[in-house]
Amino acid sequence: MTLDWLKPARRLGSLPPYVFARLDELKANARAEGVDLIDLGMGNPGGPTPAPVVEAAISAIGDESNHGYPPFEGTASFRTTITNWYHRRYGVTLDPESEALPLMGSKEGLGHIAMAYIDPGDVVLVPTPSYPAHFRGPAIAGADIRTIPLKAKNNWIIDFNDISAADANAAKVLYFNYPNNPTGAVAPRSFFEEMVAFAHRHQILLIHDLCYAELAFEGYQPTSLLEIPGAKDISVEFHTLSKTYNMAGWRVGFVVGNRHVIQGLRTLKTNLDYGIFSALQTAAETALNLPDHYLEEVQQRYLERRDFLAKELGTVGWNVVKPKATMYLWIPCPPGMGASDFALLLLQKTGVVVTPGTAFGEGGEGYVRISLIAKCDRLKEAVDRLRQANIRYSRVPTSV
Ligand SMILES: *Cc1c(COP(=O)(O)O)cnc(C)c1O
């Protein structure tokens, strides 16, 4: 029996094509043929969750008071841990009752907030390139998405001159993210101040994704949007435990900021889910309270890989800009070559998997993103394979 009478909802049809699909297929084929893939495509941090967090989870799972439905709005204890953490790190004061909401991973919240605040046809400003949930959430909600091009010459920081007056006036919501995935860019405090002034002037809800706040190097301290006076009136900020604490599989994130906006998201979620398993909220508290040396070790790990890979890529002609934060290198494709062609070439000739920039929107054309999720010996192996296949920045075999 075919289901050709059953059409998916139009909102599914509004999603841009999934760039990873062809790459996934080729990856599966290569694996089946026994190719030793070096997968630097995903933003999935390798390595275990810190032992104290795992131990806290094990003991909390044994406690039967955690076995029922968790409270919709997250446990009071986790919410207080979140607001204490914000105060400690950014000097930002938040009310744990109304200005913090735990999420089943920040991606869920980034998508659901679009459903809570965007009606079909509402104008939403989204940078390109950007993390896919920043445009796929609004697309599902039926938004009229107007992209803001991020440019290398601006160090991938939004230039307000690139937003037309018409778009600024029409916009209801703007998503942004610094330290940035995929470009690795960071933005100065003055940029955040400009953004808050822009949002007040045009009455725009700001949605900032602070996912990489802890993965910063050499003393660089990222800015929280909420540090900026007046920001809380018009914004929310998302954060996650996935990257910093190697907890991607646990699905724990949170959003903080404007209480009315958080209330809207909470109302929507009350109708969709029950939030995070209470035992995992207890473990997440342990993560946020880990001593600073833990963070320093994580930062050191990514810093070493960043420097190592940048130097190695230099030996095959890539002049890599070292990011001040994040776990990514954003590297230009050889001249004249498109992002997916280059990613496919790398996969087929070397078994090295990178993400074509176009997975992050059309603004990612001409670049690929390399995740620093492998140890240095594997990163070395990856570059050795490029050298053997004679894939250099200035000279690339012409056929795929
Ligand atoms: C990885 C990532 C997330 C997703 O985090 P989860 O909490 O695991 O859903 C959100 N935003 C950006 C920019 C990311 O890179």
Side-chain angles (χ1 to χ4, degrees):
M1 195 181 110
T2 61
L3 280 180
D4 44 10
W5 50 269
L6 181 63
K7 299 264 185 293
R10 273 190 290 274
R11 67 178 67 89
L12 280 192
S14 67
L15 288 170
Y18 187 61
V19 175
F20 292 96
R22 171 118 176 91
L23 204 59
D24 283 348
E25 192 186 315
L26 291 165
K27 261 163 69 174
N29 292 349
R31 274 211 183 89
E33 286 165 16
V35 176
D36 169 29
L37 289 182
I38 303 179
D39 194 344
L40 308 176
M42 296 289 288
N44 194 354
T49 301
V53 179
V54 175
E55 283 152 21
I58 290 170
S59 114
I61 286 172
D63 176 354
E64 74 164 76
S65 71
N66 286 324
H67 293 179
Y69 286 115
F72 279 123
E73 67 282 4
T75 65
S77 172
F78 184 33
R79 277 185 278 110
T80 305
T81 302
I82 291 167
T83 54
N84 287 345
W85 181 88
Y86 249 84
H87 192 261
R88 201 165 69 238
R89 284 196 69 77
Y90 299 107
V92 171
T93 304
L94 294 160
D95 171 23
E97 286 303 312
S98 59
E99 295 176 333
L101 181 65
L103 300 168
M104 298 162 81
S106 61
K107 183 178 182 182
E108 170 261 297
L110 288 162
H112 282 144
I113 199 166
M115 276 186 246
Y117 284 94
I118 297 166
D119 279 319
D122 282 347
V123 172
V124 177
L125 298 174
V126 187
T128 184
S130 65
Y131 179 66
H134 298 172
F135 54 87
R136 289 175 179 269
I140 291 169
D144 174 357
I145 296 174
R146 313 270 172 93
T147 53
I148 311 170
L150 301 185
K151 298 172 182 167
K153 72 169 171 82
N154 299 329
N155 299 319
W156 309 102
I157 298 172
I158 293 172
D159 178 347
F160 291 92
N161 296 316
D162 286 329
I163 306 175
S164 72
D167 285 356
N169 288 329
K172 182 174 182 185
V173 177
L174 185 154
Y175 280 74
F176 72 117
N177 159 231
Y178 292 102
N180 185 259
N181 176 11
T183 65
V186 299
R189 191 184 166 89
S190 58
F191 166 80
F192 283 85
E193 288 165 351
E194 257 190 280
M195 183 60 97
V196 169
F198 174 81
H200 272 286
R201 200 154 61 241
H202 297 285
Q203 298 191 312
I204 297 173
L205 166 63
L206 297 180
I207 297 180
H208 184 237
D209 186 342
L210 190 62
C211 175
Y212 294 98
E214 278 74 52
L215 300 186
F217 314 125
E218 300 164 309
Y220 173 70
Q221 171 61 58
T223 304
S224 159
L225 177 61
L226 297 172
E227 288 172 42
I228 309 299
K232 218 203 281 175
D233 301 336
I234 38 93
S235 71
V236 288
E237 187 160 74
F238 285 79
H239 200 28
T240 179
L241 278 69
S242 296
K243 309 290 163 52
T244 315
Y245 302 105
N246 281 3
M247 289 175 70
W250 297 56
R251 311 313 301 134
V252 183
F254 54 87
V255 60
V256 294
N258 185 274
R259 69 181 66 222
H260 302 292
V261 179
I262 286 181
Q263 183 55 45
L265 177 57
R266 183 187 300 180
T267 302
L268 178 76
K269 278 171 57 63
T270 304
N271 291 281
L272 296 173
D273 65 57
Y274 280 95
I276 310 161
F277 180 20
S278 303
L280 300 191
Q281 297 190 54
T282 304
E285 291 176 36
T286 303
L288 290 182
N289 286 324
L290 283 173
D292 285 349
H293 74 78
Y294 171 76
L295 282 185
E296 285 153 21
E297 280 158 33
V298 177
Q299 291 162 354
Q300 194 56 31
R301 183 188 317 146
Y302 287 110
L303 175 69
E304 260 167 38
R305 292 176 185 174
R306 178 198 76 171
D307 290 346
F308 181 82
L309 186 57
K311 180 166 133 285
E312 286 294 314
L313 282 169
T315 66
V316 282
W318 264 271
N319 190 357
V320 175
V321 178
K322 290 186 194 172
K324 286 207 177 71
T326 79
M327 48 196 267
Y328 306 111
L329 295 186
W330 180 240
I331 69 165
C333 301
M337 193 162 217
S340 12
D341 284 348
F342 184 49
L344 287 180
L345 175 98
L346 286 180
L347 175 60
Q348 291 180 337
K349 300 250 177 193
T350 68
V352 175
V353 182
V354 301
T355 305
T358 42
F360 308 98
E362 78 274 5
E365 185 52 282
Y367 285 80
V368 295
R369 189 194 72 178
I370 302 185
S371 301
L372 301 169
I373 50 174
K375 299 199 171 118
C376 288
D377 57 336
R378 289 296 273 175
L379 297 174
K380 172 138 187 34
E381 163 78 17
V383 178
D384 285 345
R385 291 188 197 176
L386 297 195
R387 191 176 299 108
Q388 276 149 25
N390 204 18
I391 297 175
R392 290 160 197 281
Y393 178 63
S394 56
R395 182 155 47 94
V396 154
T398 44
S399 66
V400 173

